[in-house]
Amino acid sequence: MTFEEFSGQDNAAATGDRMQSAGTALEELLVSARKQDCLTVGVYESAQVMNVDPDSVAFCVLATDEEYECDIALQIHFTLIQAFCFDNDINIVRVNDIERLANIVGSDQDEEPKDVHCILVTSPSADSWKDSALERLSLFCEESRNVYEWVPTITLPER
């Protein structure tokens, strides 16, 4: 076994552990933010918050699956949201499991299903809301950018 093969195995294992940890942290963050009423769910709702009060946005989640991969309008919205997040130093991740994400953010039985393609974690003021899961996700995003992965994809843990 060469050094490159050996270090490649270590990198693959470390990446898997990081992804698992990031998925758990994302779930914790979304549950905590939902309890504190600090979630904005929906592409259009998120765009409105970003337009009115961009400083309140702490984290952004974009979600898609195979069914929506060819939706041109959604992809254009994603591109604009990503650009806005980059310009405003907002950490952003992708999730490929819309159903799992919808279960985490929840919706009432009598409501129609929420559009979970974009979820913002907001805070009323810049320093008022600290969360260890948010800090872990921020570190994950920073590490991903260091290896030129600008919008990392996170896999949510199974339940």
Side-chain angles (χ1 to χ4, degrees):
M1 178 177 278
T2 66
F3 177 72
E4 290 80 12
E5 291 172 338
F6 181 73
S7 64
Q9 288 177 349
D10 288 347
N11 287 343
T15 300
D17 290 344
R18 275 186 22 173
M19 292 283 284
Q20 184 71 24
S21 174
T24 302
L26 179 59
E27 182 175 11
E28 291 171 11
L29 175 65
L30 293 174
V31 168
S32 174
R34 189 177 97 211
K35 289 178 183 175
Q36 296 181 34
D37 197 29
C38 292
L39 281 183
T40 301
V41 180
V43 172
Y44 297 108
E45 295 84 351
S46 297
Q48 288 175 337
V49 169
M50 290 176 166
N51 188 40
V52 172
D53 190 12
D55 293 333
S56 72
V57 180
F59 198 80
C60 179
V61 179
L62 298 178
T64 190
D65 59 14
E66 291 176 7
E67 180 182 346
Y68 294 99
E69 295 248 337
C70 296
D71 186 338
I72 301 300
L74 183 63
Q75 297 307 318
I76 291 169
H77 286 296
F78 279 3
T79 301
L80 294 172
I81 290 168
Q82 288 174 18
F84 183 89
C85 289
F86 294 149
D87 286 346
N88 290 280
D89 296 322
I90 299 168
N91 288 317
I92 182 170
V93 296
R94 277 192 179 253
V95 173
N96 290 329
D97 191 348
I98 288 181
E99 287 182 30
R100 178 81 177 99
L101 198 57
N103 289 338
I104 293 171
V105 298
S107 64
D108 295 333
Q109 299 281 343
D110 52 343
E111 286 183 16
E112 71 178 59
K114 292 183 179 180
D115 166 24
V116 295
H117 288 106
C118 183
I119 299 172
L120 298 180
V121 177
T122 58
S123 58
S125 67
D127 294 327
S128 67
W129 195 62
K130 297 291 182 194
D131 187 87
S132 65
L134 180 60
E135 291 174 13
R136 291 192 318 247
L137 284 167
S138 295
L139 180 61
F140 173 79
C141 289
E142 183 180 331
E143 289 172 352
S144 296
R145 284 190 300 271
N146 287 338
V147 293
Y148 303 108
E149 186 177 3
W150 302 110
V151 182
T153 300
I154 291 180
T155 303
L156 292 167
E158 295 293 323
R159 295 280 175 226

